[in-house]
Amino acid sequence: MTEPQRKLHLNAFLMSTGHHEASWRLPESDPLSSTKVEHYQHLARTAERGKLDSIFFADSPVLFGEVGRRPAGKLEPTVLLTAIAAVTQRIGLIATASTTYNDPFNLARRFASVDWVSGGRAGWNVVTTAGPDAARNFGVDDQPAHAVRYERAAEFIEVAQKLWDSWEDDAVLADKAEGVWGDDSKIRAIEHEGKHFRVRGPLNVPRSPQGHPLIVQAGSSEDGKKLAAQYAEAVFTAHQTLADAQAFYSDLKARTAAVGRDPEGIKILPGIVPVIGSTEAEALKLERELDELIKPEYAREQLAKTLRLAPEDLPLDRQLPADLPSEDDIEGAKSRYTLIVELARREQLTVRQLIGRLGGGRGHRTFSGTPEQIADAIQDWFFAGAADGFNIMPPVLPSGLDVFVDQVVPILQQRGLFRTEYTESTLRGHYGLARPENRFAGSEGKQLTSIGSAF
Amino acid sequence: MTEPQRKLHLNAFLMSTGHHEASWRLPESDPLSSTKVEHYQHLARTAERGKLDSIFFADSPVLFGEVGRRPAGKLEPTVLLTAIAAVTQRIGLIATASTTYNDPFNLARRFASVDWVSGGRAGWNVVTTAGPDAARNFGVDDQPAHAVRYERAAEFIEVAQKLWDSWEDDAVLADKAEGVWGDDSKIRAIEHEGKHFRVRGPLNVPRSPQGHPLIVQAGSSEDGKKLAAQYAEAVFTAHQTLADAQAFYSDLKARTAAVGRDPEGIKILPGIVPVIGSTEAEALKLERELDELIKPEYAREQLAKTLRLAPEDLPLDRQLPADLPSEDDIEGAKSRYTLIVELARREQLTVRQLIGRLGGGRGHRTFSGTPEQIADAIQDWFFAGAADGFNIMPPVLPSGLDVFVDQVVPILQQRGLFRTEYTESTLRGHYGLARPENRFAGSEGKQLTSIGSAF
């Protein structure tokens, strides 16, 4: 695992004023930043200055209700990342979009469009969207079952990839002299007929610079790991301990090999919330200051929902009740549920302490220390078979990204662990992944003569 | 109609190498421009240099099949307009999106996001998407009936507007000292329950700079006019004669008044394809050169589909057959169908001549002349009660937009008919339209306490 040429991959996971739930209350923070494109354009330029592989936005088509607690509501990620594409040159742009509450034709087209607009920098974090509240924004009373959501997600990705391949790369002739623009033998109806979708195609966008936008996945349940092994090219995951991260890493690499894929073709990036100070004491002080800004009543209500309890079942200065449901009974965010319960049990945390830990990273690993210590923490997991890189989740923005880029990245570069310049221009290039072959190239195409009916 | 302060509104309708179907074959044209964001960013900057109100992209979620004939496939308009927003400051940005093949929650959010990213410059051209080919990309074998599509469109707009109003403008408190970010009594579930949609809300984006993105409509069928009278704030329409345009204008203004709206609140913009030369002869020569580049076999096939005939029923040098279906039997693009048939009958055109006329503007009015003559044509209709402005459809891009902006706009400005500087920063501002009141402001809100379930 220590051959010298192996490089880390670093993704910046961005979220309004930062990942710590109380970050918006700091004097430096703009609490209205979640709707300001300039804020995110600035963050993206910072990440690009640090030569990071990519930036990423989480998303769900629902308003999480505790609007008192922290900045709520956000710009739709493909829109926001497109606005960022226009003012950056190299950094990859990963948007979350739901397979449960989208149509494959529209979404495949949107990602292909972002890929064109960004010159090949688009990635799609595939999520299945847990919870009844999202369902109720789309005319249904409750979410489909976990397994059904993942089955639909797999078929959705298949349809999207077929649509992305519906134009061959050389389908456009642009022959002015003969007056022939496109070669319709190289543009095919996909005629997909599956359990969840019937989609004729072809897509109405030529094949994009990357061929397929990068497929990213972030669910770590059993269904999520199966989906990742089959389709994902990068995986965002949450682990509190090295042993858990190593187990996840080797399991997912093995599952990927088992379906016939190269395990190098899936990059596993655990989340880390780096709380950085010029001394360890300064970092711990910043962490403590942030935790003290958390209002426990909001956070307890949220924790109670996650655990399917009433808030009054969770006295702040006691540990979690002994009797909690098992992951099998949870229909959404399964792996996050288990992580929270195990964290509380392992470290014998009171509800108040647990809230502090979750407020920083929502289950991701918070690590407080000097730039050198953060670099060590990253290097340790990277060399220990726990990670191909990291999903960097600054607790406070913009300052937490600035300090990571200006103080941690140079250490990783000096150690030969991270690029000092971009060598590639696409997101796939940054992650060392090949441009996919077109699955239909050379096959007999369905002619398109029956499509088209408007002047 | 001639009070001095009344100003024209001008929208640039942009399309790859231009509206003339053979424009891509000209030496100046880049036949690959339809996927190049720089091409469109350049055009938008040109339109902004000319102080135009807005730019606009048509769209349909289907590939029209005659890929040999002209550039086919295009970037999804909300993505493309967002990339344009990032490099412009003032010009309005109108994207077409289908109410038949989208969900209101996702689309309302996307337009609100574009409105935020552009600082209040987003408009939505509401279309119902005719034709079975689009339907087959969404798991259905044929389009819903015309009336059903329009009924769904009306409910879709209602839901979108409710979602845009689900946050009051002052819902965000951002009270750092108290630790209260949002006021949940000012953020409401909309609890919409209609014939086509059930949507709980609220939207997961704060109310956008314009309150509601501008609603634009372009169908001129009976159902289309009803929808426009109820909801549209700008209307794109196609007329070949002054009398037709006057009749449409006065009819739609009266319908708008009849539903209780101010007729000034709906801006009617007929399309015009300006073929501009330094002399009239030069303009006519350019028009002829373009028409001679049309390959009639492609265009005849397209015309045959529109008329529900076989291509062999349309000999190139004969007039249309006498026996054609009536508009009532047409399920898509009804008004365009009638316009084409009436144009052919009125001017006794052969199929070849009709193809030339349609190849330039697809049913819109082509006008060839000097800049002065184009300005006269615009002024005449504007003063004759036929238009509040025009939808400018350059036959060739970028040159046709450059010459319009550099040579026609200054004449209109000298005549006092068009702004010489932007005075407003939003699309609504350019069109002289007020920011909508929030329909829920001050009412008892549904509390959101039951929403939200994820860390």
Side-chain angles (χ1 to χ4, degrees), chain A residues 25-26 29 59 63 67-68 73-74 101 106 109 137 141 176 178 181-182 198 201 204 295 305 451-452, chain B residues 25-26 29 59-60 63 67-68 73-74 101 106 109 137 141 176 178 181-182 198 201 204 295 305 451-452:
Chain A
R25 297 183 67 188
L26 293 176
S29 293
D59 199 57
L63 181 70
V67 295
K74 43 189 164 183
Y101 303 114
N106 286 338
R109 184 185 183 206
N137 289 333
D141 291 324
K176 290 184 179 183
E178 290 297 316
W181 186 80
R198 289 171 55 221
N204 54 350
K295 295 191 68 164
K305 271 184 199 136
I451 295 189
Chain B
R25 298 184 65 189
L26 292 176
S29 294
D59 199 56
S60 190
L63 181 71
V67 294
K74 43 189 165 183
Y101 303 114
N106 286 338
R109 183 183 184 208
N137 289 333
D141 291 325
K176 290 184 180 184
E178 291 296 318
W181 187 81
R198 289 171 56 220
N204 54 350
K295 295 190 68 166
K305 272 183 200 135
I451 295 191

Side-chain angles (χ1 to χ4, degrees), chain A residues 331-372:
Chain A
E331 271 301 324
K334 279 176 183 281
S335 61
R336 187 59 48 86
Y337 171 83
T338 300
L339 182 149
I340 290 170
V341 174
E342 288 184 355
L343 170 66
R345 301 264 195 255
R346 184 174 58 244
E347 305 193 14
Q348 304 197 323
L349 301 174
T350 65
V351 168
R352 192 188 300 277
Q353 288 168 326
L354 180 61
I355 282 169
R357 294 290 291 275
L358 297 175
R362 305 185 318 288
H364 288 270
R365 177 186 177 213
T366 296
F367 190 97
S368 300
T370 63
E372 198 80 27

Side-chain angles (χ1 to χ4, degrees), chain B residues 399-440:
Chain B
S399 66
L401 185 63
D402 280 322
V403 67
F404 185 84
V405 161
D406 293 332
Q407 298 185 30
V408 180
V409 166
I411 297 170
L412 297 170
Q413 288 170 329
Q414 284 154 20
R415 294 180 187 178
L417 294 173
F418 193 62
R419 71 175 67 83
T420 54
E421 285 300 336
Y422 288 109
T423 57
E424 304 283 335
S425 63
T426 68
L427 175 58
R428 290 188 169 277
H430 302 332
Y431 279 102
L433 299 167
R435 188 170 188 274
E437 299 287 313
N438 189 319
R439 72 190 66 194
F440 301 124

Side-chain angles (χ1 to χ4, degrees), chain A residues 60-221:
Chain A
S60 190
V62 66
L63 181 70
F64 293 118
E66 290 165 317
V67 295
R69 180 181 180 192
R70 60 169 300 167
K74 43 189 164 183
L75 304 177
E76 192 282 320
T78 62
V79 168
L80 181 53
L81 286 166
T82 299
I84 289 170
V87 301
T88 53
Q89 282 72 50
R90 293 294 192 101
I91 195 153
L93 307 164
I94 300 172
T96 298
S98 171
T99 52
T100 304
Y101 303 114
N102 276 292
D103 267 304
F105 190 92
N106 286 338
L107 197 67
R109 184 185 183 206
R110 207 147 84 244
F111 276 105
S113 298
V114 178
D115 205 43
W116 273 110
V117 163
S118 64
R121 297 187 281 141
W124 169 25
N125 177 43
V126 177
V127 298
T128 67
T129 310
D133 296 315
R136 291 175 191 143
N137 289 333
F138 296 88
V140 284
D141 291 324
D142 201 355
Q143 62 184 334
H146 196 268
V148 173
R149 293 205 313 276
Y150 275 87
E151 182 187 82
R152 178 179 159 115
E155 188 180 333
F156 196 119
I157 297 170
E158 287 283 345
V159 175
Q161 292 184 333
K162 286 182 189 174
L163 287 167
W164 291 330
D165 286 344
S166 62
W167 292 54
E168 291 192 42
D169 288 313
D170 58 354
V172 179
L173 305 171
D175 184 339
K176 290 184 179 183
E178 290 297 316
V180 181
W181 186 80
D183 176 352
D184 63 12
S185 74
K186 295 186 172 178
I187 303 172
R188 295 175 179 83
I190 67 167
E191 303 285 7
H192 176 88
E193 304 258 346
K195 182 165 171 189
H196 296 274
F197 303 109
R198 289 171 55 221
V199 181
R200 186 179 190 209
L203 200 58
N204 54 350
V205 182
R207 198 165 194 253
S208 74
Q210 294 189 107
H212 301 177
L214 195 77
I215 300 289
V216 182
Q217 202 275 344
S220 299
S221 66

Side-chain angles (χ1 to χ4, degrees), chain B residues 263-281:
Chain B
E264 288 294 304
I266 183 167
K267 306 300 181 188
I268 300 176
L269 311 181
I272 183 168
V273 181
V275 185
I276 306 170
S278 58
T279 62
E280 187 176 338

